[in-house]
Every structure is written in structure tokens, then in C-alpha cells.
Amino acid sequence: MSARTRTVSEPHASPEVVAAVFHGVTVSDAAAVLVVEQVGGVLRVGWSNERAATMLGYDPEDLRAVAVEQLLPSLGGGELKLLLRRERTVHMTLPVRCASGALLDCVVSAVPVPPPAGRRWTVRVTSTANETERALRATADASERRFAILTERSPVPTLLSEQGMRLAHVNDAFCALVDLQAEQLLGTGWLDAVHPDDLETVIEQAIAVLEGGDRTTQARLVRQDGSERSTVIRFAHVFTPSVGAGFIGTIEDITDRLAFEAQLAHQANHDPLTGLPNRTLLAEHVAERFHPGAGGLACIFLDLDNFKVVNDSLGHTVGDALLVEVADRLRSTVRPGDLVARFGGDEFVVVCQQVTEDGAVALAERIGEALHRPITLAGVVLHPRASVGITVQTVEHAAAEELIRDCDTAMYQAKAAGKGRITVLDSEARAQARDKLRLVADLREAIDHREITLMYQPIFSTTERSAVAVESLARWQHPERGAISPSTFVPLAEESGLVSALGLLVLDETCRQLAEWDERLGSAAPQRANVNVSALQLDANLHGHVRSALVRHGLQPCRLSIEITESALMADPAAARAVLLQLRDLGVQVSIDDFGTGYSSLAYLRHLPVDCLKVDRSFVAELADGHPEIATAVIALAQSLGLETVAEGVETQQQADELARLGATHLQGFGLAAPLSGPDTATWFADAWCSDAKTATGPVRHPDLELM
């Protein structure tokens, strides 16, 4: 065993130290070896070989008590961490302090000892005085030159500081970015390229990096021509022996990316036609300025009058030009700081701060005057007008969206009162609007939970003097408000977009009830059920909905009659005719409800594929006053066209007799039979069938019917 091995194996060298030495180095006469370990938060020499003690002029025992910072005076706390890494071996050329205080230039290599040795490193110290180390230094210098060339040619703008804030090197990419020469940027000249408003932040981040660690910051760089580039600067700590701490900075130019993101954000929040903020930005703007309990925030909602006429007569291009002109006039009329937004279609909203109700009205009047100035489009002189609703924030407004909703309500009130008007939503109108909103929510829930029930009113044949069909009538029993009339909730469903769901519910439930009656009553069940359809349901989807309901419940199409009001048919006769033809082809009967009240074209009526006209109850009521003219004309018209008739609202025996004499084919009214629930209707028809079986006079005549 050699003397060198015996030195390592001396009693004061622990097994861990021995392992560290053999892990990190191959001990030779030319290698000075130290084992550095962290004790109580301080890095000290835990063991050294004789070569290390001799080189540094220490007694071996004295060297073991020396702190590493004392041996390596050029390394501060941050730089010492760069030498003693846990992840990899690190080589540095450093001055090492001897016992005499003299500094010896050495290559210091630190090898981390793997777990479970704890925080321990094997450090080899080699003097650079010999030829080998000079060769190593030359190799390092060559590597540094290669690094400089690589950095200089890199497309990534790069800064290199070897000491403090002063640059030692900038590459071509950074010079091109700021349009300056390298000589103008070296030293501290590069700071002149940083935007003055961002300079303090950049300096703070760079100083933090000099103390150790990495930093990233965003800053604007100013080019020589004064233009600006937005960048992200990433600083990394660098330590140069005998020089000190510095940094490497890499720069990412994000100007184009930010511009693209800004463009996307603008497109997401602005109307592409007028350039005005859209509904999303409007909501954000109001929400940011809305403070519950405060006042002074007002919304002015404008809807152009007769805009559809412009679109339909002059074309959408002219309509778009009008919207752009309206947007320009709004911008030039409102106060500085007021927001103008396009709410959608031909609707605009102006948001004002620190304004009274009178001030908002005055602004709305100025807007109205500005809009009404003539404009010539496609050779036509137009004088635009708008219906305007105004709401000023009060303590009753709990949320920003309530303010926008209220001015929308006020606008509809203005339009209902007459076009070109200005309406301020008062507390009573606000209460009514909110009550209506709650009722809409309740109606939606009632439809979803099938809480809309149906009543069925029998329809009688005048020739057979018996009930042959029923009409389905929707009923809503509100849990708090009690019974709500169809004249209230049906228009509400049409206004709120719920009429389709309501109509599908009525259609499906009617078909389900017919199938149930068939199973219970057999041939005594009603032959047909009449279902009312809203004008908003009169589209290409109606045929499919009706067919699906019939198939779902196993019914023949002849068991169903669709009732459509005269006014709905006349709104768009050509489209209505196409829908009715689909229903006729399916085999479903079609009736015109309330005939005579819609001022229809009698010439067009001949081309509509309908089967029945329903005589409105108002004409039936006139019979009692000795005025049968209209009822007579409607029944006669139906006869001449080969159509059936149903006279509604029959209340007395005299009316029934007169209508039978005039030739009405069917009668319906409270004087004959009141609307009944599904089970009661089954009982009613069953009783009528039993009575007819006894008298053998024909099916479905009710025994209590005295009017017939």
C-alpha cells in the first residue's frame, strides 16, 4: 500500500470522505484534492490531501478549518453556487488564496458527490503554471472565441455583460433590432436604446440578475428613427473570474405578435362594419363603471325606424352605408368620454357618465336632430329617425346588466308609442318590465316541466247533432299568481322566443291524449283534435314537427286539424301556402281561425289549401242583435269554396238554430259544452256514447245537450 493511500486512510478521514475522493478524482502527485462540505450552512474544507496543503502553504489540520470563501476570494455567494453545482461538474479558472495571502492562478474543478453523501463536493486544484494547464487555457480561449462567433451570427438578439451593467459584446441581431452600431451600444450605451418609461424596470431586473439568478422583463426598445419595438428580455447570470458578475441577455421581438393580438382583441370587441364597440365591450364598459347605490350613469338605447324598408327597397349595401353614417353621426354628437356601441342590427347604445336625467334627454334630443339630417344614398334622400329609450342609474339597479335591459325596455315603449319618440323608463314601467321578465322565466320553467295543461272543448256537428271533435286549449296555473289567461301567456311566449316550445308541447300532449282516448274509448273517442299554431311556428319545420308527433303516438294524420289565424296566413301568403301544402300532403286538416277579422284577400283565399273556416265569436254574438250579415257571408263563402265551417262562441239555443239554418257545419261554445280536462273529456264522450247506444240515434251525442 502506498503512502498516498495511507494518507487517505488515516483515522481522521471518514468513509464518506474516502468515497468522495475516489468518486471525484484519481489521486496523483500533480493533483491537489479537497473535499468541501456544508456544515451549519457554511461551506468548509472537510478533508485535503498533502498535495493541496503543500501547494497552498497550510498545515493539513489548519486547512480543514478554512472556509471555502476564504480560499476563493473572487467568488461571492452567488458565484460560489455556480461552482458548487448539484447537477454537474464545473471547471473554473480562479485565483486561489494561499496561507500567505498570495493568489495562485489555478484551474478549480468541482465534482458533486452523489447521494447519500449529502451536500459534499470533491474539488481538484491545479496550478496553471505548467504546460498542460496552459494548453487547457488555450483550449478554453478557443472555445470562448467559437462562442463569440456563434453568438455574433445568431438570429437571436443577444447582449453579454462581463462586469455589472457594462456590455462587453452585442451581436449583429441586436444591432439590427435597434438600428445602431455595436460601438454605440458597448459599455452602457445600450441603455439609451431602452424606452425611458421602461428603463428603470430593466435596470432593476439586471441588478437582480447580477446578484445571482435569472429574470425576464418586457420592455420597449427605441430605434434610431424613433420607432419602437416591444420586446421580452431574458437575463441570465454570468460570472467571469478576475472580472466579476455579469449577464447574458436574449431579446425576443414581440411587436408583430402584440399587434396581431391587439387586432384579434379589437375584432372580438368591435363591430366590423361601423368600427364601434360591440355588445361584449359595451357590457364590460358599463360593468366597470357601475357602482350599486350610486348614480350618474345613463344608457341611451336607439333603434332606427323603418330600417327594414331601406334594406328591402334599396338593398343591404345601402342599408350598411346608412348604419356607417349613423355611427359617424353618433360619434360626432356625443360628449367626450361617452361610449357609442352597436348593440346589433340597427340598434345602438350610448353610455354616459355623470349625467342627470334631463342631461340624458337633452343629449338624446341632440342625437335625434343629428340623425334626422338628410343623407342621399342610391339617389334617394333619407331622413333617418330613431326610437330612443333612456335609463339613468338609480338605487333600484342592483347590477350593470339591469341598466342596459331597462333602456332596451324604454326603447320598445318609445317605439310602441309612435316612432321617433324618446321615452325615459320610470319606476312603474321598470317594475312592470321586471315583473314581465319574472313571468317569462316562470313560463319557461312551466314549459320545461310540462306544467302547461290542456283543456278540450267539444265541437259539434250540426247535421248529426253530436260531438265529433275537440279543440285543445292551453291553460297555465301559476303556483303563486293562479290561473293566467292564454291571452297573456301566449303573446308572452311569442315575444320571448318560447312559442315554439309551447306549440310543440301542446301538439305532443294533444296527440298523446288522443291515443289514450283511443285505448280507453275505442270508437267512442273524439274523431279529431284541433290544435292552434302561432304565426311564428308557420315555417318549414312545422310539417316535420306534426309528422313526428303523429308517428310518436301512432295516430293517422286525419285525426289532427291545425288551426292558423287569418292574420298569420296573410303576413306572407306565399310562404304560408307552401307550409299548408305540406300539411295537406301529409293528410292533416287545416282550418283558418278567426276568419273575417284579418282583412284577407278573398281572391287569394281560393288558392290556399284549407279545409275549414272558423266563424269568429264576435260575428256569432251579433246574431243576438239582429245582425247576421257577416256570419251569413262567411258561411256562404265557405260553402261556395267547398269548405267546412265551425262557428265559435255559441251561447244560446237561438244562436245554434240560426247558425244551423245558415248552413254552418259545426258549432262550438260554452252554451254547448265547456272545456274539459283530459279525463273528464273521456268520461263526457263515454256517457254520450252510452246514451246514443240506448237511443240508437248515432254516435257521440251528449244526453244533457238541450240546445241541439
Side-chain angles (χ1 to χ4, degrees):
M1 182 180 296
S2 69
R4 188 69 57 194
T5 305
R6 286 197 301 273
T7 301
V8 174
S9 304
E10 292 173 356
H12 58 264
S14 66
E16 291 82 3
V17 169
V18 174
V21 172
F22 280 99
H23 169 75
V25 296
T26 300
V27 180
S28 68
D29 292 337
V33 181
L34 309 172
V35 175
V36 173
E37 54 190 5
Q38 189 169 27
V39 180
V42 178
L43 291 166
R44 295 187 178 278
V45 177
W47 179 89
S48 70
N49 66 358
E50 291 180 1
R51 174 62 177 166
T54 302
M55 178 189 295
L56 300 177
Y58 281 93
D59 182 89
E61 292 296 330
D62 294 338
L63 183 55
R64 295 188 187 101
V66 176
V68 176
E69 290 184 353
Q70 181 179 343
L71 286 178
L72 306 174
S74 64
L75 296 182
E79 290 80 10
L80 192 56
K81 293 178 181 178
L82 296 177
L83 174 65
L84 302 177
R85 300 290 299 275
R86 298 303 303 164
E87 300 84 5
R88 63 177 63 90
T89 299
V90 178
H91 306 280
M92 286 188 179
T93 302
L94 298 169
V96 179
R97 178 179 284 145
C98 300
S100 64
L103 297 177
L104 181 65
D105 289 336
C106 298
V107 174
V108 180
S109 301
V111 182
V113 180
R119 300 185 65 80
R120 183 175 283 112
W121 294 262
T122 300
V123 178
R124 182 170 59 183
V125 181
T126 306
S127 173
T128 59
N130 57 52
E131 291 296 329
T132 301
E133 294 305 329
R134 281 195 294 270
L136 290 174
R137 182 58 182 265
T139 301
D141 291 342
S143 297
E144 183 177 345
R145 287 193 298 272
R146 287 194 295 269
F147 170 76
I149 294 172
L150 177 64
T151 302
E152 188 173 311
R153 297 293 186 265
S154 171
V156 179
T158 305
L159 312 173
L160 175 59
S161 160
E162 292 183 348
Q163 185 179 22
M165 301 294 294
R166 301 179 62 83
L167 292 190
H169 177 77
V170 294
N171 70 349
D172 293 347
F174 185 80
C175 294
L177 177 62
V178 296
D179 195 22
L180 292 171
Q181 295 180 353
E183 291 75 13
Q184 298 172 281
L185 298 168
L186 295 178
T188 58
W190 70 282
L191 295 174
D192 294 335
V194 180
H195 193 285
D197 293 342
D198 300 334
L199 182 58
E200 183 177 351
T201 300
V202 170
I203 292 175
E204 288 178 353
Q205 296 300 312
I207 291 174
V209 170
L210 293 174
E211 296 175 353
D214 299 338
R215 291 288 190 277
T216 299
T217 187
Q218 187 168 322
R220 290 162 290 174
L221 299 181
V222 183
R223 293 170 55 84
Q224 193 171 21
D225 60 4
S227 61
E228 298 176 6
R229 305 298 294 180
S230 297
T231 67
V232 173
I233 305 177
R234 296 178 176 89
F235 291 109
H237 180 88
V238 172
F239 174 74
T240 304
S242 303
V243 178
F247 59 77
I248 289 180
T250 56
I251 292 86
E252 179 185 1
D253 187 351
I254 60 172
T255 307
D256 295 338
R257 189 187 80 193
L258 292 180
F260 181 66
E261 291 174 352
Q263 181 182 2
L264 290 180
H266 186 275
Q267 292 174 349
N269 294 312
H270 289 76
D271 170 49
L273 176 64
T274 63
L276 293 176
N278 62 12
R279 189 182 301 191
T280 300
L281 192 56
L282 167 68
E284 294 176 358
H285 181 88
V286 175
E288 290 173 357
R289 289 154 182 78
F290 181 87
H291 302 287
L297 186 62
C299 287
I300 302 174
F301 201 109
L302 303 96
D303 181 271
L304 296 182
D305 296 330
N306 301 319
F307 179 72
K308 186 176 184 301
V309 176
V310 175
N311 262 344
D312 292 346
S313 59
L314 301 180
H316 290 281
T317 301
V318 174
D320 288 348
L322 176 59
L323 292 175
V324 171
E325 177 64 22
V326 167
D328 291 340
R329 293 185 182 186
L330 288 174
R331 287 191 191 97
S332 61
T333 305
V334 301
R335 309 172 310 167
D338 292 344
L339 177 78
V340 180
R342 186 182 179 193
F343 196 75
D346 59 343
E347 298 174 333
F348 298 84
V349 175
V350 177
V351 181
C352 315
Q353 290 181 269
Q354 298 179 351
V355 64
T356 63
E357 183 178 298
D358 291 341
V361 172
L363 176 58
E365 291 174 345
R366 292 200 305 273
I367 290 173
E369 294 172 0
L371 293 183
H372 194 54
R373 295 197 308 266
I375 176 177
T376 301
L377 295 173
V380 178
V381 179
L382 303 176
H383 294 266
R385 287 188 180 276
S387 297
V388 182
I390 299 175
T391 298
V392 179
Q393 182 185 350
T394 68
V395 294
E396 297 179 6
H397 290 105
E401 55 268 21
E402 293 183 4
L403 197 64
I404 300 176
R405 186 187 63 218
D406 283 353
C407 68
D408 186 13
T409 301
M411 182 276 295
Y412 278 106
Q413 290 182 341
K415 191 172 284 289
K419 298 177 180 179
R421 294 178 179 267
I422 298 174
T423 298
V424 179
L425 192 68
D426 55 26
S427 58
E428 181 179 354
R430 182 179 297 110
Q432 292 175 353
R434 293 182 181 178
D435 182 70
K436 184 177 181 180
L437 193 65
R438 284 191 293 269
L439 195 59
V440 168
D442 293 343
L443 178 58
R444 178 178 287 105
E445 185 175 353
I447 294 173
D448 291 342
H449 293 85
R450 298 185 73 92
E451 294 171 356
I452 301 296
T453 60
L454 297 187
M455 303 290 282
Y456 304 91
Q457 187 171 32
I459 298 174
F460 295 85
S461 168
T462 54
T463 56
E464 298 177 0
R465 299 172 59 187
S466 58
V468 294
V470 295
E471 179 181 359
S472 298
L473 303 171
R475 296 291 183 263
W476 182 19
Q477 186 71 24
H478 193 280
E480 298 174 358
R481 308 185 189 207
I484 296 180
S485 170
S487 62
T488 297
F489 71 79
V490 172
L492 193 65
E494 292 178 334
E495 294 174 14
S496 58
L498 297 174
V499 70
S500 179
L502 176 62
L504 291 178
L505 186 153
V506 172
L507 177 63
D508 182 75
E509 179 60 21
T510 299
C511 291
R512 186 203 66 79
Q513 187 63 76
L514 275 174
E516 182 181 297
W517 287 334
D518 286 348
E519 184 176 354
R520 176 178 174 181
L521 302 176
S523 59
Q527 301 171 19
R528 186 180 64 250
N530 293 16
V531 177
N532 292 279
V533 170
S534 165
L536 299 179
Q537 294 176 265
L538 197 61
D539 57 25
N541 297 317
L542 182 59
H543 166 268
H545 292 323
V546 172
R547 183 178 182 278
S548 295
L550 291 169
V551 171
R552 188 162 51 248
H553 297 287
L555 297 175
Q556 294 298 317
C558 61
R559 302 293 302 282
L560 207 59
S561 177
I562 301 299
E563 293 190 7
I564 304 173
T565 62
E566 179 185 11
S567 57
L569 292 174
M570 293 303 108
D572 189 348
R577 185 173 186 275
V579 176
L580 298 188
L581 283 172
Q582 289 182 322
L583 295 176
R584 169 68 66 82
D585 292 341
L586 181 62
V588 172
Q589 189 181 79
V590 177
S591 300
I592 299 182
D593 197 12
D594 303 332
F595 186 79
T597 62
Y599 308 103
S600 64
S601 168
L602 298 182
Y604 196 82
L605 178 62
R606 181 168 57 87
H607 300 287
L608 288 175
V610 298
D611 303 285
C612 179
L613 300 182
K614 297 196 75 172
V615 183
D616 187 68
R617 64 184 64 251
S618 61
F619 304 145
V620 173
E622 290 179 351
L623 296 176
D625 300 326
H627 297 289
E629 296 84 4
I630 298 180
T632 301
V634 172
I635 294 171
L637 176 64
Q639 289 175 336
S640 66
L641 295 175
L643 305 178
E644 295 181 350
T645 51
V646 176
E648 298 180 294
V650 177
E651 302 291 343
T652 66
Q653 181 68 50
Q654 292 76 13
Q655 290 173 336
D657 292 342
E658 180 65 12
L659 290 167
R661 186 186 65 79
L662 293 175
T665 55
H666 296 86
L667 304 177
Q668 178 182 353
F670 278 81
L672 304 176
L676 304 166
S677 66
D680 289 344
T681 301
T683 301
W684 193 94
F685 273 82
D687 290 345
W689 180 265
C690 292
S691 176
D692 289 336
K694 292 178 181 179
T695 58
T697 57
V700 203
R701 180 189 299 113
H702 197 272
D704 298 330
L705 182 60
E706 298 297 337
L707 296 179
M708 299 299 292

